[in-house]
Amino acid sequence: MKEYIQSLFQMTKEIICNLKRISALSYFQYTVETKDFFLGAFWRFFTPFIQIGVYWLVFGIGLRSGSPIDGIPYVVWLTCGLTPWLWLNVSVSRGAVSIYSKAIMLTRSNIPTCLIPISSVMSCSIENMWTVALMLIVYIANGCTPTWTAFGIIYYIFCGLIFLSICSLISSALVMVARDFNKLIQAVMRLMFFLTPVFWRPGNSIPHILKIFNLCNPFAYIVRGFRNALLYNIPFTATGTENAIFWCLMVLLYLLAASFQSKMRKNLLDYL
């Protein structure tokens, strides 16, 4: 127990004391990914545009015939849920392999391993700002007017950063132990896309167990939060129960992440 508490405080201290290094690593990774492309940052805007367009054609036009939800145009409703999901999905996928892809570098440097997954999440978050910009364009172009509750997006982005950082700390350690975990994570994320209310609206007709699952689902919490802030004018202070469940879950996952990172760090060379 004493050793675990020491590793917990050590990881927390390393993260807090290296925030500038995390920022530098994340910005470097963000710029490197498109430096060899002629169109550069254009792809960061065009890629989510195509993704959102395809989902709208399939789910909005194909399955729903363009009918609105709660009086909100479906393309707006879908975009406000799909924007955070694309961010969460990419961040989880990249964060899982972040340490493995840089394992050789870590053995030759003194960079704490816990910084790598967090910098990967931050890099994806910077890239996601283009998708947020696209969401706001679709939102305003369809005649929607934001209210003061729209500032709640800042809170939910912060929640997403915390969740993704902790999730990446856990998943990156698991992938180092066995590469099969990466395949498992990809399969879970595909399943979560359909279980999380991204393109469907949870109603009273869904099973009770699915209601409980969505209440405890961090992905659903953030997707729901974006829509509450932009579309339903519900401030995050009005969802006290959901907030409490989310932050309690984050504390438990962080304790688990500290244990995984400590064990992985001690045996890093053995896992290569």
Side-chain angles (χ1 to χ4, degrees):
M1 176 62 76
K2 183 179 179 181
E3 183 180 357
Y4 169 73
I5 294 176
Q6 289 177 344
S7 64
L8 174 63
F9 279 101
Q10 180 184 358
M11 187 181 79
T12 305
K13 181 181 178 181
E14 288 175 345
I15 294 173
I16 295 175
C17 294
N18 289 280
L19 291 177
K20 288 185 177 180
R21 183 180 287 186
I22 292 173
S23 300
L25 287 171
S26 59
Y27 182 74
F28 174 77
Q29 185 173 341
Y30 169 77
T31 55
V32 162
E33 288 177 355
T34 56
K35 71 180 182 66
D36 294 328
F37 292 92
F38 180 74
L39 296 178
F42 169 78
W43 292 109
R44 301 189 187 279
F45 183 86
F46 186 69
T47 301
F49 176 80
I50 293 297
Q51 289 178 304
I52 292 174
V54 169
Y55 283 121
W56 175 62
L57 287 174
V58 173
F59 297 111
I61 303 300
L63 297 180
R64 297 184 54 85
S65 301
S67 58
I69 292 183
D70 297 331
I72 303 167
Y74 186 75
V75 65
V76 177
W77 191 88
L78 176 67
T79 304
C80 289
L82 199 56
T83 295
W85 171 259
L86 293 175
W87 170 43
L88 296 170
N89 183 43
V90 172
S91 298
V92 169
S93 300
R94 293 185 186 176
V97 297
S98 58
I99 293 181
Y100 177 68
S101 62
K102 297 179 176 62
I104 302 299
M105 180 193 74
L106 290 172
T107 59
R108 300 173 181 175
S109 65
N110 61 349
I111 299 177
T113 56
C114 61
L115 303 187
I116 302 302
I118 298 176
S119 65
S120 176
V121 168
M122 293 300 297
S123 174
C124 293
S125 301
I126 297 173
E127 183 177 339
N128 185 68
M129 291 300 102
W130 293 93
T131 313
V132 173
L134 176 61
M135 176 190 71
L136 294 177
I137 291 173
V138 172
Y139 180 80
I140 296 173
N142 281 269
C144 299
T145 304
T147 63
W148 67 272
T149 60
F151 289 104
I153 288 181
I154 299 174
Y155 165 77
Y156 289 106
I157 289 176
F158 174 74
C159 291
L161 289 173
I162 297 297
F163 168 62
L164 290 170
S165 298
I166 296 174
C167 184
S168 295
L169 287 170
I170 296 173
S171 61
S172 60
L174 291 174
V175 170
M176 284 301 298
V177 174
R179 313 300 176 257
D180 304 77
F181 279 109
N182 186 37
K183 295 293 184 182
L184 178 62
I185 291 169
Q186 293 176 4
V188 170
M189 291 305 295
R190 283 192 289 268
L191 178 63
M192 290 299 295
F193 173 72
F194 292 100
L195 293 179
T196 301
V198 176
F199 63 91
W200 55 274
R201 183 183 183 280
N204 296 326
S205 60
I206 64 174
H208 183 66
I209 189 171
L210 187 57
K211 291 181 181 178
I212 296 176
F213 174 77
N214 276 322
L215 187 64
C216 303
N217 179 3
F219 296 99
Y221 175 78
I222 296 169
V223 169
R224 188 165 53 245
F226 266 64
R227 285 182 175 141
N228 285 344
L230 283 172
L231 304 179
Y232 298 107
N233 299 327
I234 301 175
F236 68 89
T237 53
T239 56
T241 302
E242 295 179 15
N243 298 343
I245 292 174
F246 175 82
W247 288 110
C248 287
L249 183 60
M250 290 306 100
V251 171
L252 293 175
L253 290 176
Y254 186 74
L255 296 176
L256 185 63
S259 176
F260 282 16
Q261 283 290 319
S262 176
K263 293 179 181 179
M264 187 271 298
R265 184 183 317 188
K266 292 177 182 178
N267 303 289
L268 181 60
L269 290 175
D270 296 333
Y271 293 145
L272 292 178

